Amino acid sequence: MSSTQERRPGTRERLVRSAQELLWERGYVGTSPKAILERAEVGQGSMYHHFAGKSELALAAIRRTADTLAESAEECLAGPGTAYERVAAYLQHERQVLRGCPIGRMTQDRDMVRDPELRQPLDEMFGWLRGRLAEVLAEGRSRGELSADLDPADTAATVAAVVQGGYVLARAADDPAPFDAAVRGALSLLAAHAGTGTTAPTDH
């Protein structure tokens, strides 16, 4: 492999990672191509060698972030234990709460949500998450781990909303405590549908 071939993947990777970081920090509107180039420490020509422009690079970065979040969630939801324990693992997974959700952050950008192509990874990620949570909860119900009157789809939507809402409350307070409280509350509600011996944690 030539040195040029070795540099190109490295340059593209730096661009995508820099775009991921800046989109998380500043959002789509607040992220300029110049800022991405400076963060990636590459020249303008390098960027346009790999991407047609900001929109295409942002799309690659958003897809990467969405895939990473999905993989992280799947590790929790596909892990050992009861349905309650697996959902609890997802809710209690370590997060940089005060930075907000790197995907949820994108929904606050008007230009982002108005662009169907840029919005697609967001829709897919949240749709997948609700569906996967619903699968785990339905498995738990069928195994008798959760009560028969629990609605998997509605409960999955609640769990997803707790995480996203928790981010907002924590950032507004500049304190992760509201996020932790929301998680404890969700787990308490879910524990009420679980078998005897299941108790929600008292601290995140």
Side-chain angles (χ1 to χ4, degrees):
M1 178 178 293
S2 70
S3 59
T4 301
Q5 288 175 313
E6 290 172 357
R7 281 199 302 273
R8 286 179 179 173
T11 299
R12 186 183 193 282
E13 181 66 16
R14 289 199 303 275
L15 285 166
V16 172
R17 290 184 181 183
S18 296
Q20 285 182 276
E21 294 168 1
L22 287 165
L23 288 169
W24 194 1
E25 294 170 10
R26 307 179 185 182
Y28 181 74
V29 174
T31 297
S32 67
K34 180 180 179 181
I36 296 171
L37 293 172
E38 290 177 351
R39 181 73 63 94
E41 297 182 342
V42 301
Q44 183 174 355
S46 297
M47 175 178 173
Y48 289 100
H49 174 80
H50 294 285
F51 302 97
K54 173 185 172 180
S55 178
E56 185 175 311
L57 173 54
L59 182 59
I62 295 164
R63 283 175 173 163
R64 171 80 65 83
T65 298
D67 288 346
T68 300
L69 290 178
E71 289 170 6
S72 177
E74 181 61 16
E75 286 181 7
C76 299
L77 298 173
T82 64
Y84 173 89
E85 291 168 339
R86 291 152 66 191
V87 173
Y90 167 71
L91 283 170
Q92 296 175 308
H93 183 70
E94 185 175 352
R95 297 175 171 89
Q96 297 183 56
V97 174
L98 295 182
R99 290 191 69 185
C101 176
I103 287 295
R105 173 75 176 81
M106 297 299 97
T107 65
Q108 299 172 31
D109 274 306
R110 184 176 62 180
D111 289 2
M112 176 73 69
V113 298
R114 285 183 172 180
D115 187 318
E117 189 174 20
L118 290 174
R119 193 179 67 244
Q120 184 177 2
L122 313 182
D123 294 340
E124 291 176 350
M125 169 59 195
F126 288 124
W128 172 85
L129 179 61
R130 290 192 301 271
R132 188 69 182 94
L133 285 164
E135 287 178 5
V136 172
L137 294 166
E139 290 172 10
R141 190 177 64 175
S142 67
R143 294 172 182 168
E145 298 168 0
L146 299 171
S147 59
D149 61 349
L150 178 139
D151 186 296
D154 287 352
T155 305
T158 298
V159 170
V162 162
V163 172
Q164 292 304 314
Y167 275 122
V168 173
L169 294 174
R171 283 173 60 83
D174 194 27
D175 187 341
F179 184 97
D180 297 341
V183 166
R184 289 195 301 271
L187 290 176
S188 293
L189 294 173
L190 189 57
H193 287 277
T196 57
T198 298
T199 56
T202 56
D203 192 18
H204 179 52

